[in-house]
Amino acid sequence: MCPIAAAGFDGYHGPLMPSARSGDAFRLAGALAAVAAVALALRWWLADSNAATVSISLLLIVLIAAATARLWVAIVTSIVAMLVINFFFLPPTGTFRIADPHNWVAVFVFLAVSLVASNLSAAARARTREAVARRDELARLFDLSRDVLILGEGPGAIAQLARSIARRFDLEYVAIALPQDGDWNVHEAGTSTIDLDRRELASAFAAAHASLEFDAMARTYAGHRVMNAGTEHVRLVPLRARTMPIGILAAAGRPVEAGTLDALAGIAAIAIERASLLEARKAGELARQREELQTTLLASIGHDLRTPLTAIRVAASNIQSPALGEADRNEQSELILSEAERLSRLFQNIIDMARIDAGAVATEPRWTHAAEIVAAARDQARHSLQQHVVDVTAEGDVPVRLDPRLAAGALAHVLENAAQYSPAGTAIRVLTRLHQHELIIEVLDEGRGIAPGELAHLFDRFYRGGAGAETRASGTGMGLWIARGLLAAEHGRIWAENRPEGGARFTIAVPVQIRPPESSPSHA
């Protein structure tokens, strides 16, 4: 007899549910009714008392019962069919006595054939159920493996893994317990809530350290155990990275084979190790970026500090010369003021960059006009715009509520960039308009445009365009990055594109509140 079928387990090797028992009872009643109908038809309707015909007809019913129901249904049907043959068709009829010894042989051969055929059919059905169950478990493992490949990074990765296991394997409770500083960091998922005993977890973890033996019969490694938590039976499986235990997987709910649980724990351990490696790689990348940033910052600032300081020192020395005329003295004074303003702008950029990195850019929204923002930005960038004509066009310049200081600062950096990458004497156009509760500011220049390979890096820190800069030595590569950071504090955006007629277009979009026309003026 097939062990699976005899034990009365379903496709997942779990106990029979009430619905399965009621279904078997219904099939048994149908099989017995079919036996009675065939017996009546052969006995009284066809008046056929041939034992061979009766046996074959009833054996067909037994085989149908074995193919559609569990083994016990086929066994009961076989016994009832044998008794029907004995009572109605073997002389002396109407009794359970058998006069002819040959009929004894026929009765027992019928019973043996029906039982053997029923057992073979039940075994085939059990193997089919087992194959389907294993196929389903393999599909679940495959789906979980795909989840691991797209698993995110950061502290929520392990909790996301626990949710994936609970969802894929239809488990009521899943917990991934990882040892941490003498305690356990437990990530739970599922519809049930279970208080895991930390002592049981520690005991299971210590047992996993003790041995790494493979049980060929159970198809699992050592360390599996069951923990009772109230009415729930929680299965504990070691999580092993290579051969070393790194934690415990706890599962409760739908029965899952021990071998499948072991494979599941292996996939979970790989996912945990992958998340750890990703975090280590991210930390290493951040450290490399910090070192690279410090090196670039020092090189960029050192270069941009030396140039204006040298110019100021030379101009100051020239002013002290008694032979210098009044016009030349004024020119040197203007040069000193210009370079001092350039130094002030550089230090302001450094301060803004530090504030953006620290997330300390505070917003102070108030009611203002787009024209005021453009005017403030032009004033900040006046030194860079001296050799350009700035043409401003405003559409629907109504009061809007935003932080004008941040918006003007970002626009000033964009204007400086446009001036740097446009030929002297060309016009820079600034267009402002409102669109779906956003203030849109466009800056259009007449330079050479943006190379396709530069679009992806245009707003990176310290990135300087490779070609087309009219004042190449004056840029630090911080301006556009700072502009994006200032706008991000207001949930704004900035992007760049090439114009079909030549030059580049930078677009700033900042969410704003628009004052209704009937509102009274306010500067709150």
Side-chain angles (χ1 to χ4, degrees):
M1 182 179 297
C2 174
I4 298 174
F9 277 52
D10 64 4
Y12 291 112
H13 307 284
L16 290 178
M17 301 301 292
S19 58
R21 296 193 185 96
S22 61
D24 287 339
F26 179 78
R27 293 185 182 90
L28 176 61
L32 296 180
V35 168
V38 168
L40 290 175
L42 293 177
R43 176 71 177 172
W44 283 284
W45 183 38
L46 299 178
D48 188 352
S49 59
N50 187 287
T53 304
V54 175
S55 299
I56 292 174
S57 300
L58 295 182
L59 182 60
L60 176 62
I61 296 175
V62 172
L63 293 178
I64 293 174
T68 57
R70 300 186 183 275
L71 181 60
W72 71 269
V73 175
I75 292 175
V76 173
T77 306
S78 300
I79 295 173
V80 171
M82 181 198 69
L83 295 177
V84 167
I85 293 174
N86 183 7
F87 190 84
F88 289 104
F89 297 98
L90 296 181
T93 59
T95 68
F96 289 106
R97 289 191 307 108
I98 300 177
D100 190 349
H102 294 86
N103 289 338
W104 279 103
V105 175
V107 168
F108 284 109
V109 168
F110 171 82
L111 181 61
V113 170
S114 61
L115 290 178
V116 170
S118 299
N119 186 63
L120 291 175
S121 177
R125 292 182 68 247
R127 290 192 180 93
T128 301
R129 290 196 301 271
E130 184 178 3
V132 171
R134 291 188 183 281
R135 181 202 64 189
D136 292 342
E137 299 299 333
L138 286 174
R140 295 175 192 269
L141 288 172
F142 176 74
D143 291 339
L144 180 62
S145 300
R146 291 194 300 182
D147 291 344
V148 167
L149 292 177
I150 60 176
L151 195 65
E153 301 179 25
I158 308 302
Q160 183 182 350
L161 173 64
R163 289 192 295 270
S164 295
I165 294 174
R167 183 179 70 254
R168 293 299 185 188
F169 283 82
D170 195 21
L171 294 170
E172 295 179 4
Y173 177 80
V174 169
I176 296 175
L178 303 176
Q180 185 179 29
D181 300 330
D183 199 1
W184 291 90
N185 187 11
V186 181
H187 304 270
E188 298 176 306
T191 57
S192 299
T193 301
I194 297 177
D195 186 17
L196 295 178
D197 189 344
R198 267 45 177 182
R199 292 173 299 179
E200 289 277 358
L201 293 177
S203 177
F205 193 63
H209 273 282
S211 63
L212 182 62
E213 298 178 356
F214 184 76
D215 187 345
M217 294 294 295
R219 300 191 301 276
T220 64
Y221 286 94
H224 288 234
R225 62 174 59 195
V226 177
M227 180 183 73
N228 295 321
T231 59
E232 295 286 347
H233 299 288
V234 183
R235 288 155 290 171
L236 304 180
V237 186
L239 297 170
R240 287 187 173 93
R242 293 174 292 276
T243 59
M244 292 299 298
I246 61 172
I248 297 294
L249 172 68
R254 183 181 68 85
V256 181
E257 282 189 343
T260 302
L261 278 177
D262 226 17
L264 175 57
I267 294 176
I270 292 173
I272 294 170
E273 192 173 25
R274 176 180 177 271
S276 177
L277 290 174
L278 287 176
E279 288 185 8
R281 188 186 70 176
K282 185 177 181 181
E285 180 66 19
L286 288 176
R288 185 191 64 80
Q289 289 179 358
R290 280 196 297 269
E291 183 178 354
E292 186 178 287
L293 176 61
Q294 291 172 357
T295 303
T296 308
L297 179 60
L298 289 174
S300 178
I301 292 178
H303 175 271
D304 286 286
L305 281 175
R306 280 194 301 269
T307 302
L309 286 175
T310 301
I312 291 173
R313 185 168 59 249
V314 172
S317 299
N318 291 337
I319 289 177
Q320 292 177 352
S321 174
L324 197 67
E326 186 66 24
D328 292 334
R329 196 180 301 275
N330 291 336
E331 182 182 353
Q332 295 300 312
S333 298
E334 287 293 331
L335 178 60
I336 292 174
L337 292 174
S338 174
E339 295 301 327
E341 184 178 354
R342 181 177 166 188
L343 280 176
S344 176
R345 194 85 176 111
L346 176 60
F347 285 125
Q348 184 61 45
N349 286 345
I350 295 172
I351 293 172
D352 288 340
M353 185 176 65
R355 291 167 57 211
I356 292 171
D357 277 335
V361 180
T363 60
E364 300 176 3
R366 65 179 180 85
W367 292 104
T368 185
H369 289 262
E372 296 178 14
I373 295 173
V374 175
R378 291 181 63 180
D379 183 61
Q380 294 180 34
R382 63 182 179 275
H383 174 69
S384 301
L385 297 173
Q386 286 178 355
Q387 300 181 3
H388 296 271
V389 177
V390 179
D391 181 16
V392 180
T393 302
E395 297 180 10
D397 190 17
V398 299
V400 293
R401 185 176 174 82
L402 78 166
D403 189 329
R405 177 179 52 88
L406 298 181
L411 179 58
H413 285 293
V414 176
L415 290 174
E416 288 177 346
N417 182 81
Q420 181 180 356
Y421 287 88
S422 300
T426 58
I428 297 176
R429 297 178 59 200
V430 180
L431 309 177
T432 65
R433 56 189 171 88
L434 290 172
H435 177 68
Q436 296 181 352
H437 294 281
E438 281 188 328
L439 174 62
I440 308 296
I441 304 176
E442 294 180 341
V443 177
L444 294 77
D445 62 48
E446 298 180 3
R448 302 182 185 179
I450 307 167
E454 295 181 348
L455 283 171
H457 306 285
L458 205 57
F459 297 95
D460 292 349
R461 182 161 24 194
F462 300 123
Y463 182 78
R464 302 167 74 178
E470 299 302 317
T471 56
R472 186 68 186 88
S474 64
T476 61
M478 292 188 291
L480 293 180
W481 182 85
I482 292 174
R484 186 180 64 176
L486 295 176
L487 292 171
E490 292 191 280
H491 307 288
R493 301 167 291 143
I494 181 172
W495 65 94
E497 56 192 335
N498 285 315
R499 300 168 59 197
E501 60 272 24
R505 174 191 286 110
F506 284 80
T507 305
I508 292 174
V510 185
V512 295
Q513 290 179 269
I514 302 174
R515 178 187 293 165
E518 64 275 9
S519 298
S520 58
S522 172
H523 291 279

